[in-house]
Amino acid sequence: TMEGSPMTPVDESGEGVPDVSIETKDAEAQPELDTTGAPPRGEAKQSDENEAKADSNGAVDGSSDSKAQLQLVQAAWEDFSIGHSVYVRDKKAEIRMLDYPLVYWVYEGETSEKHRSFIFDEELFKVEIGARFSEKVDMSSIIDEPLCSRIYEREDEDDVEVEGATPKHTVEIKSCKNTNISILDEVYGIHMVDCKNVTVLFNSLIASCEMTNCSNCKLFCMTECCLFDIQDSTSNTICIGIKLLNTVLFSTIKTEGSQILAYKSVTTELCERIKDGEEIESLIEYKIPAATEEGESYDDGIELRTKWTEAEGFETKVVETKELSPSDFENDFDPF
């Protein structure tokens, strides 16, 4: 557990009879059993192998049927609904929540909730062949993919404004460098990937702001955002207003050097002053710990969640790891 406090400024064969059919053109060619009923010598080994296989995997034919039932195919977003079964890394799980592009699930037999982006980690999700037809899906819980506004490969631009976006739009910002972007209308979510030294000022998000492989970027949230999901990123700054402290959650995976700055309020003026190099003292400053120890990094399964509470200020805790058992999460904090 890593804690921080507010800072001011900072898966039948018959007995003895081989379970193997032998095709012949005439009956005389059939091998005959001897008077003891033992199989021909050439087949004794085959029979033993079949029995051994049945002992370890159940009946041979039954095992084959089981494998056929578990054939998996790549999932599509339309396959997802709350309470529906899905396979993540070929392990069965149940979907608990959908917040496009984020999919939240709990593995069968576990209690800890995990999530990943369907945009960046689509290949992790699979469903059984025929599941779309054999299972009754509650269509009302399936979320349509929102519309999308794209800002790709912008470099050295001072003022890029996203226009015409609605609450049904996500804004994808990809491969941009040294660019300032403004999103003044309420939108569904923001996805940033492969960006360097990019400043984004946004008003309000219905869902989340996601960053992947970004460095030295600054995010200014003027009104509302429930989740900042940051992966494989370094040295980013998130600026929020003091009123957002009690409702926002920060999720980080393989991320270092990120910090949260809380101001009395976040405005376009504040953003401009900071972009111009002016040093404005924040009310609260918190550096999100990296999921690393001296000279050693945790694996991809580690997720850290950072949350503010009135009693403790900002706290960061490990909530996802491949190594932990369900009992390890019994006393874990509820991030919401």
Side-chain angles (χ1 to χ4, degrees), residues 243-258:
K243 291 182 179 180
L244 194 59
L245 283 175
N246 292 320
T247 58
V248 67
L249 175 68
F250 302 86
S251 170
T252 52
I253 298 175
K254 296 177 67 177
T255 291
E256 298 180 354
S258 292

Side-chain angles (χ1 to χ4, degrees), residues 261-279:
L261 299 179
Y263 297 90
K264 183 176 181 180
S265 64
V266 172
T267 63
T268 54
E269 180 185 357
L270 175 73
C271 181
E272 290 297 327
R273 290 168 63 185
I274 292 176
K275 284 194 299 184
D276 290 340
E278 186 175 340
E279 292 186 8

Side-chain angles (χ1 to χ4, degrees), residues 114-144:
K114 309 180 191 306
H115 77 274
R116 284 291 185 272
S117 166
F118 189 66
I119 289 180
F120 300 112
D121 298 314
E122 180 179 357
E123 71 281 356
L124 297 182
F125 301 97
K126 297 180 182 180
V127 293
E128 292 184 45
I129 289 180
R132 301 166 191 173
F133 309 101
S134 62
E135 293 188 29
K136 185 176 180 180
V137 178
D138 180 8
M139 298 303 292
S140 65
S141 67
I142 295 179
I143 302 175
D144 293 332

Side-chain angles (χ1 to χ4, degrees), residues 66-114:
S66 176
K67 283 187 176 181
Q69 292 174 5
L70 290 177
Q71 285 182 326
L72 304 177
V73 293
Q74 176 64 53
W77 182 259
E78 291 77 14
D79 295 320
F80 298 150
S81 66
I82 296 170
H84 192 205
S85 296
V86 67
Y87 288 80
V88 187
R89 295 190 179 94
D90 297 331
K91 185 175 180 180
K92 191 173 185 179
E94 178 183 302
I95 295 176
R96 290 295 178 87
M97 186 171 73
L98 295 169
D99 178 11
Y100 183 83
L102 300 179
V103 182
Y104 295 77
W105 76 89
V106 173
Y107 281 125
E108 190 173 51
E110 297 186 8
T111 60
S112 60
E113 186 178 88
K114 309 180 191 306

Side-chain angles (χ1 to χ4, degrees), residues 203-218:
N203 183 10
S204 181
L205 304 184
I206 293 175
S208 60
C209 179
E210 183 172 352
M211 300 177 72
T212 302
N213 194 31
C214 293
S215 62
N216 297 297
C217 294
K218 290 184 175 68

Side-chain angles (χ1 to χ4, degrees), residues 5-68:
S5 57
M7 299 171 60
T8 304
V10 216
D11 179 10
E12 143 183 337
S13 56
E15 185 175 345
V17 180
D19 187 19
V20 179
S21 59
I22 302 174
E23 295 185 4
T24 60
K25 293 185 179 181
D26 56 79
E28 292 182 0
Q30 289 270 13
E32 297 180 359
L33 297 178
D34 63 19
T35 56
T36 64
R41 294 176 58 192
E43 295 182 9
K45 185 177 180 180
Q46 180 66 50
S47 179
D48 291 341
E49 289 175 351
N50 285 346
E51 289 177 6
K53 190 172 182 180
D55 288 339
S56 60
N57 300 318
V60 175
D61 291 342
S63 174
S64 222
D65 291 343
S66 176
K67 283 187 176 181

Side-chain angles (χ1 to χ4, degrees), residues 277-330:
E278 186 175 340
E279 292 186 8
I280 300 177
E281 191 173 296
S282 59
L283 298 178
I284 297 172
E285 179 177 336
Y286 180 72
K287 184 175 180 180
I288 301 176
T292 58
E293 295 178 342
E294 291 185 13
E296 188 173 348
S297 295
Y298 290 121
D299 61 24
D300 292 344
I302 287 292
E303 176 191 354
L304 301 181
R305 288 185 186 176
T306 299
K307 187 79 173 69
W308 165 274
T309 61
E310 294 289 347
E312 302 293 337
F314 276 115
E315 279 189 292
T316 297
K317 294 188 177 183
V318 176
V319 295
E320 180 178 348
T321 174
K322 297 172 184 175
E323 306 302 325
L324 296 181
S325 64
S327 61
D328 293 317
F329 293 92
E330 289 178 356

